[in-house]
Amino acid sequence: MINFFIPATSSITINNLTGEEGVRRILCYSSASSTSYLLYNGNIIGAFNSNNNLNIDFESYYGFPRLSDLAIEVPANISIAVIVDVVPYSDTTDNYIETRSAS
């Protein structure tokens, strides 16, 4: 397990998570009711705040998403805690989540 703590700053920030391990599960916690976002390769895949924590389990036969492909977008004056269950030495994939347009 890896714990990332993102302290509050005076402006909106995007904080890249570091590591090459595969991600099996991610939990995101916020200190305020303003919404923060979990990003995968720059695309929003989840939103959370102090009233609605984020808990995502990743499952795949073809590998897990790489930790460094995830980031957290944080509004001003909010602290964030992220707990990541990683799978060391597992297969990772660059296209775990495919973005498509909806019609």
Side-chain angles (χ1 to χ4, degrees):
M1 293 280 239
I2 299 172
N3 177 36
F4 292 96
F5 178 73
I6 303 167
T9 61
S10 61
S11 61
I12 295 174
T13 60
I14 294 180
N15 301 273
N16 296 309
L17 303 182
T18 56
E20 295 303 310
E21 300 92 347
V23 177
R24 181 184 355 224
R25 184 176 183 196
I26 188 165
L27 300 110
C28 303
Y29 302 94
S30 176
S31 66
S33 60
S34 295
T35 302
S36 298
Y37 299 100
L38 175 64
L39 309 171
Y40 176 78
N41 287 334
N43 297 307
I44 296 172
I45 62 168
F48 61 98
N49 60 33
S50 61
N51 300 314
N52 183 27
N53 299 319
L54 187 64
N55 180 355
I56 299 176
D57 287 319
F58 295 101
E59 298 178 9
S60 177
Y61 296 108
Y62 305 106
F64 293 96
R66 186 175 289 109
L67 182 55
S68 60
D69 289 338
L70 298 170
I72 306 290
E73 183 178 320
V74 184
N77 305 316
I78 296 176
S79 297
I80 301 293
V82 178
I83 308 237
V84 185
D85 180 13
V86 295
V87 187
Y89 313 112
S90 68
D91 290 332
T92 58
T93 180
D94 292 327
N95 299 320
Y96 186 84
I97 298 173
E98 180 182 332
T99 300
R100 295 183 180 181
S101 60
S103 57

